[in-house]
Amino acid sequence: MKRKLLFGERMLLGDGTEPFNAVIPFRLRGIFKEEDIQHALSQLQGKHPWLRALISHDEKNIPWFEVLEKHLPIPVRIVSRKGENDWQEESRREWQTLFHYGEQPLLRFIWIKGEAVSDMLFSFHHCLCDGGSAMAFLYEFLTILDNPAAEIGVENPILGIHDVVPADILTNRRQKLKAKVIGRVAATAIKCIPVGKKAVERQNDYLIHWKFDKEMSGELIAYCKSMEVTVNTFLCAAVLQAFRKVKGDASFNKVSCPVDIRRFASQIKEDHIFAFGLMIVVSANHKISFSENLRLMQESVERKTSKLNPYITMMVMESAHDALKNFTKLLKHGKSSNDCMFSNLGRIQIPHQYKDFTLETIFSPSVIGPLGNTTTMVTSTFNGEMDFSFVGSEGYLPYAEALAIRDEVIQTVKEQLDPISVL
């Protein structure tokens, strides 16, 4: 089984010399055997073909996912657990570790082994899948770890654009022409945009982590319901305000927000291994109050989201493979135009209690790569607690400023939930 990488996957893959890795850490309380972990990982590969795929290049240097008859196991690395924050150190190590994708799968497993508590990490190349897919195979891994005989089914994998875009759209002359014209215009425009000769010096990468407890998380969700805005919009507003307070006129007043393609394309199932994403940009009006901003931003988010068309977007991108080199160069060498990427995975629907162990927490994923500004904030909610991972690089956002932005976000949330207590 094999398929060509789509445009977005090729962009994330790059030329193989720079990592673009995502990490999902989680904490388990219980006693585990390495053979049980290996078995669970093997079952994951049995269900998902692309978890046992390597990447090869054809005579035109086009990359393909290729599943060999005899697959290679997911590599497991075991380290001794010394403290509560070992997972952060291992996350940073995994960001920097290349996947030799012609020789090993695009997924690794790290076991930070303790006596009663273990931290575990899935590390994967971002071209393999997105956070939604990763949460699906995390759920399956825990299911099998708890019950080695559990049935998790077999994925019917996506083999190309034809498995995502309905045939009546994909073969429609008008839609094909529209996608081709947009693709050509975009490719020409990208060629004409001036970029620097050198990419920004990234310098040291960092990870800042924090949580809201159950009480504060519940209050935040209730507040958003009362204001008729989503948690995502509220947090975007808090992030934008924090960047403006810390960076002043040097802030861009723009946050990029990934939108799960599964909301629009029913062909992509929750457990599909797939990396394609949609994006909107959110901004604030600094001349009005925070609460007034929320409603305007919510209207803007809904308006922009309603205009997203995953099918045409994919068709446009697939018509522009010859522009990939210029597009990648623009992302690497062009000036940053947004403050950060903000991604909210929402409530993670994975059980907390298992027969032989407890899933104490899932830390929000982190991701970092070579395509421009690395500043990214990811949040998720597990077992009633909202969790944040804030990733950045000194060359784009100094660590001291990132800490100040974190503090401003927390302060903004507290002020909105209980304005009297922070006076």
Side-chain angles (χ1 to χ4, degrees), residues 112-132:
I112 307 172
K113 186 177 181 181
E115 289 187 12
V117 175
S118 288
D119 293 330
M120 300 180 181
L121 293 76
F122 275 112
S123 173
F124 56 95
H125 197 296
H126 199 12
C127 77
L128 176 71
C129 65
D130 60 7

Side-chain angles (χ1 to χ4, degrees), residues 391-409:
V391 170
S393 307
E394 288 277 359
Y396 287 102
L397 180 69
Y399 181 67
E401 290 185 4
L403 287 174
I405 287 166
R406 174 204 60 186
D407 293 344
E408 285 291 345
V409 168

Side-chain angles (χ1 to χ4, degrees), residues 22 44 54 67-68 78 93 101 108 110 122 130 141 154 180 198 210 262 281 336 341 380:
L44 287 189
L54 306 182
V67 180
L68 305 179
I78 303 174
R93 179 178 298 178
Y101 50 69
R108 294 189 288 259
I110 300 86
F122 275 112
D130 60 7
F141 169 80
V154 177
K180 194 169 184 179
K198 280 189 173 183
W210 72 96
R262 294 165 184 81
V281 175
S336 181
M341 181 176 289
S380 59

